[in-house]
Amino acid sequence: MDKQGLYLTSFQRKLLLKSLETDLRPEYRRRIEIMLLTDAGQSQTQICEALGCAQETARHWMTIAQTGQAHHWSDRPMGRPKAVNEQYLARLQELANHSPREYGYPFERWTGQWLSKHLAKEMGMKVSACHINRLLKEMGLSTRQIRKTAEQETDNTKNSRITIGNLLPNLEPDFRWSLNKEKQRCE
């Protein structure tokens, strides 16, 4: 008969022991070992010393074992999934080089937020606006408006109908202004 532990069912224990026989990443192996040691009655301190793991890690997987969820040891993948691939980057670059109006949006410039929403709808991958902006920066692109140089501004003003020149000083003093100044000093 199977040895009875504190928390795990015989099915869970067999599943965990069988999983240890496979080629696992060290992080997954540690999860299983924490749960098996918890089931054997080891304390958090003993488990941390035996496995050299952080207390938070031990506490988390001890709780999983104690709540009867040990069979879910592989449900939480390690690290972030790599969502951004070459196809995603190519589409991001293509969108950034075209006006959002070409895609039915009412605004003239993309934002990281709108690129994120559009690509999530189109490609099924949700990437944060901050990460979108980082990717654009790596590609040498930006959603920010490019500031015009003085030379570009003078080129644009040549074609405008309004010109601003030097203003002539008013030779007649405005007494209302000077009275207001005196009034403000007194208060």
Side-chain angles (χ1 to χ4, degrees), residues 6 9 13 15 22-24 30-31 38 44 61 72 75 84 86 108 161 167 173-174 184:
L6 295 175
T9 65
R13 194 173 311 96
L15 176 71
T22 62
D23 185 30
L24 290 174
R30 186 174 302 125
R31 290 177 181 183
T38 300
Q44 180 179 328
W61 292 104
H72 294 295
D75 289 356
V84 178
E86 292 302 317
E108 292 182 25
R161 295 181 189 170
L167 299 175
D174 186 349
Q184 286 175 353

Side-chain angles (χ1 to χ4, degrees), residues 142-153:
S142 175
T143 58
R144 293 187 179 165
Q145 189 172 14
I146 299 170
R147 293 188 177 215
K148 294 180 180 178
T149 64
E151 187 178 301
Q152 288 172 325
E153 285 182 15

Side-chain angles (χ1 to χ4, degrees), residues 16 19 24 28 31-32 35 61 69-75:
L16 294 177
S19 297
L24 290 174
Y28 286 121
R31 290 177 181 183
I32 294 171
M35 289 187 284
W61 292 104
Q69 300 176 40
H71 55 286
H72 294 295
W73 67 269
S74 63
D75 289 356

Side-chain angles (χ1 to χ4, degrees), residues 3 41 83 116 133 161 173:
K3 180 186 164 211
S116 172
N133 288 328
R161 295 181 189 170

Side-chain angles (χ1 to χ4, degrees), residues 55-122:
Q55 289 184 5
E56 294 80 14
T57 304
R59 186 171 35 254
H60 176 77
W61 292 104
M62 288 175 77
T63 302
I64 295 294
Q66 292 165 348
T67 56
Q69 300 176 40
H71 55 286
H72 294 295
W73 67 269
S74 63
D75 289 356
R76 293 181 68 193
M78 301 299 302
R80 292 184 179 167
K82 184 148 176 82
V84 178
N85 55 25
E86 292 302 317
Q87 181 185 5
Y88 189 95
L89 291 173
R91 185 64 179 141
L92 173 61
Q93 185 172 14
E94 184 181 342
L95 288 170
N97 286 318
H98 290 89
S99 169
R101 290 193 173 174
E102 294 177 38
Y103 300 95
Y105 295 104
F107 43 88
E108 292 182 25
R109 284 193 350 259
W110 287 108
T111 63
Q113 187 74 32
W114 275 105
L115 283 166
S116 172
K117 287 179 184 180
H118 184 85
L119 285 165
K121 224 183 335 178
E122 194 175 287

